[in-house]
Amino acid sequence: MSYFKIDSLEQYFKHYNKSIREPRKFWGKIAEENFTWYQYWDKVVDFNMADAEVKWFVDAKVNITKNCIDRHLAKKGDKTAIIFEPNDPSEQALHISYNELYERVSKMANVLREQGINKGDRVCIYLPMIPELAVAVLACARIGAIHSVVFAGFSASAVASRINDSQCKMVITSDGGYRGNKTIDLKGIVDEALQNCPSVTSVLVAKRTNAEIQMKAGRDQWLAPLLDNALNNSVAEIMDAEDPLFILYTSGSTGKPKGMVHTTAGYMVYTAYTFKNVFNYEENDIFWCTADIGWITGHSYILYGPLLNGATTVIYEGIPSYPDFSRFWETIEKHKVTQFYTAPTAIRALAKENLSYVQRFPLKSLKVIGSVGEPINEEAWHWYNDHVGGKRCPVVDTWWQTETGGIMIAPLAFTTPTKPTYATLPLPGIQPVLMDDKRNEIEGNQVVGSLCIKFPWPGIARTIWGDHQRYKDTYFSTFPGKYFTGDGALRDEVGYYRITGRVDDVVIVSGHNLGTAPIEDAINEHPAVAESAIVGFPHDIKGNALYGYVILKESGEYRDRDNLSKEINQHIADHIGPIAKLDKIQYVTGLPKTRSGKIMRRILRKIAEGDYSNFGDITTLLNPEIVEEIVKGRIV
Ligand code: ATP
Ligand code: MG
């Protein structure tokens, strides 16, 4: 019996039970049958959760790029591995075959070696979403260098702090990047960052925009001539299963970003397995994940997961609104995309626009549509299901984190019946538990609590770079012996999970614990509301009360704000209960978001409390100007 692919709900339960009863057999068999290894493991898993120590496939030897590329060459060397869709739709899309990917990655790997990069060295990759980004990531993995991809929208100080945190030796960047009708001076940002980064000795520069840039002698080199002179084949470094593969910083929604370290074998097995099952991947599918490779979603489901399965994966350089709001739908049509994976923030933004943008396209190629990053509110879920999925495509609402490496709780397409706003059931191998405030496990269904995972899975991050103590404190101390996710969840009558938001965002109003997601969900269903965010603030009688920030769809229509506020509260009372009514409602034109598109509720909380002194680490904040606007309009 093979465990790699699940084909029915019955089989899901069978595999799930096996994975819990005999996790070593379950993962051992998957690892053995679906990957190539230089050497097998002595032990499938070795762990001590209390000490935050986890190892998978102990002493095995492997290289992830052999599994992403080399092993596909014999049978599907000519198959397209990567479709590159440029920012400007009139520029031709590129199709990169597995053979070409092998050559490009080999050349880049050889260049890195010639430039003195060795196994274990850290390389910062600060590139736009162009093929060189994928190639650079894979080339690092090929030679055992640890990649640290920094999203190419970050400022010089954010780049510098990430480089310094992990002491990168090299930066790979480009002369610039295109995003919609803007060009971004990436090289200029790197130059500024490197004024404060003594560890970096060399910078390789890809050409994209042909912008005029400064090249610092002795440090900076153009990539193209180096690649031209490099051999187009390469030997992969033999890596230990637990050698670090990459460092990636979290979104910084709740505080200072954490440099999560993922290792080789476990991450490989877990991303390949989850990709295959959640998206029901089949051989000729065209998979498109719209995340940036600078986030974990891009690492796991633009690059590693799809390539490990020999899939065709789309890399899109631009933004959803360029040249207009139909770009996603047009691109799905153009490349006949079968699985489409995006974030609620993008769905909400596109749902605000005229329906004709999406209705112009039949989107018949689509089979599965997915969501990740934040709770997807019910209205957005239906819009996505109705207008993008045409009610035929399962919506897979995938809950996971930078720390988890891959998807943890999600419907398996065509297997798990979906339910709006529910991430539904855990993947095999994942043992979620809900904990109460007294640190006891809450049994049974129709309960809410803090979401923890009580057994390690192969994709779990092993540490925070340079700070194992913070790793232990953050994830393994609140509920000793368990991995604490920081999220709250509800388990419904059939055992489906719904993420109710961050535990830190739970507000206790008159003794009732209220998660923010369900309340926002109710508000967003009001026809006038485009998006909202709820936080708590201290209240003399109730302990805490709720403060809502609301973005309206069309400003002119609901002029009578007092009346609208009453309607919104009535809506909440009807959907959740009078306890969740908002004491204050502020109408805003935008919400503070991370660069990965998530609402930064911690800033909103400070504003609601009237404390503007210290917003904490805001290096990942996308739109600082909105903070000022919100502060000015604060309801006292
Ligand atoms: P930081 O840890 O620095 O505060 P972050 O948690 O936003 O940032 P990520 O690892 O990118 O960084 O995001 C993971 C979080 O995103 C989860 O803990 C959860 O709160 C939220 N999330 C992701 N997917 C979903 C989903 N499908 N439903 C609900 N929430 C989700
Ligand atoms: Mg987090």
Side-chain angles (χ1 to χ4, degrees), residues 294-315:
W295 311 120
I296 191 69
T297 307
H299 277 57
S300 301
Y301 301 108
I302 296 178
L303 294 181
Y304 288 114
L307 296 176
L308 285 163
N309 281 277
T312 300
T313 181
V314 177
I315 295 182

Side-chain angles (χ1 to χ4, degrees), residues 198-489:
S199 62
V200 173
T201 51
S202 59
V203 177
L204 302 182
V205 186
K207 231 186 182 68
R208 176 60 182 142
T209 58
N210 292 312
E212 237 178 79
I213 57 163
Q214 303 288 321
M215 295 292 275
K216 185 171 171 185
R219 187 193 71 183
D220 304 349
Q221 295 176 82
W222 287 105
L223 192 54
L226 297 174
L227 290 171
D228 285 347
N229 292 324
L231 281 179
N232 63 3
N233 58 58
S234 65
V235 178
E237 192 77 28
I238 297 177
M239 303 298 287
D240 187 86
E242 284 297 333
D243 278 335
L245 174 64
F246 63 85
I247 302 167
L248 187 63
Y249 292 84
T250 57
S251 295
S253 308
T254 56
K256 184 171 179 272
K258 300 169 280 263
M260 303 314 307
V261 178
H262 282 281
T263 59
T264 306
Y267 176 82
M268 171 181 83
V269 170
Y270 197 65
T271 51
Y273 174 76
T274 51
F275 174 77
K276 175 89 178 157
N277 286 292
V278 173
F279 299 104
N280 193 42
Y281 171 72
E282 289 169 339
E283 179 53 35
N284 293 314
D285 289 347
I286 310 283
F287 185 83
W288 183 18
C289 164
T290 69
D292 194 282
I293 292 174
W295 311 120
I296 191 69
T297 307
H299 277 57
S300 301
Y301 301 108
I302 296 178
L303 294 181
Y304 288 114
L307 296 176
L308 285 163
N309 281 277
T312 300
T313 181
V314 177
I315 295 182
Y316 171 48
E317 184 180 27
I319 54 176
S321 54
Y322 182 79
D324 65 31
F325 296 104
S326 62
R327 185 61 189 277
F328 274 2
W329 325 127
E330 190 182 337
T331 304
I332 290 173
E333 211 61 68
K334 176 175 173 187
H335 297 299
K336 298 284 172 259
V337 169
T338 48
Q339 286 97 343
F340 178 71
Y341 190 30
T342 195
T345 180
I347 299 168
R348 286 192 294 260
L350 294 169
K352 258 203 302 204
E353 304 302 328
N354 200 301
L355 255 189
S356 65
Y357 284 116
V358 55
Q359 283 175 337
R360 254 184 280 154
F361 302 93
L363 306 178
K364 286 281 180 284
S365 60
L366 282 177
K367 298 198 298 193
V368 179
I369 55 178
S371 167
V372 60
E374 281 183 294
I376 178 167
N377 53 292
E378 189 147 2
E379 202 187 9
W381 193 98
H382 283 295
W383 187 90
Y384 197 34
N385 182 47
D386 293 357
H387 301 296
V388 180
K391 296 189 179 149
R392 312 171 276 112
C393 304
V395 178
V396 291
D397 175 4
T398 63
W399 174 83
W400 58 297
Q401 310 176 295
T402 309
E403 296 86 339
T404 68
I407 296 166
M408 300 287 281
I409 304 181
L412 308 181
F414 304 110
T415 293
T416 318
T418 61
K419 177 174 176 182
T421 75
Y422 281 74
T424 75
L425 297 172
L427 272 278
I430 306 307
Q431 301 190 38
V433 286
L434 298 180
M435 307 297 289
D436 68 18
D437 297 342
K438 300 194 183 67
R439 301 182 174 181
N440 297 316
E441 196 175 323
I442 309 170
E443 310 269 345
N445 288 345
Q446 286 191 297
V447 290
V448 289
S450 295
L451 179 63
C452 290
I453 313 289
K454 70 173 177 191
F455 193 85
W457 62 101
I460 186 174
R462 304 300 196 256
T463 191
I464 291 176
W465 183 264
D467 198 350
H468 196 69
Q469 192 60 44
R470 185 179 179 202
Y471 177 71
K472 202 170 146 180
D473 293 346
T474 309
Y475 306 106
F476 297 92
S477 303
T478 319
F479 301 98
K482 298 185 176 65
Y483 170 82
F484 174 43
T485 66
D487 289 335

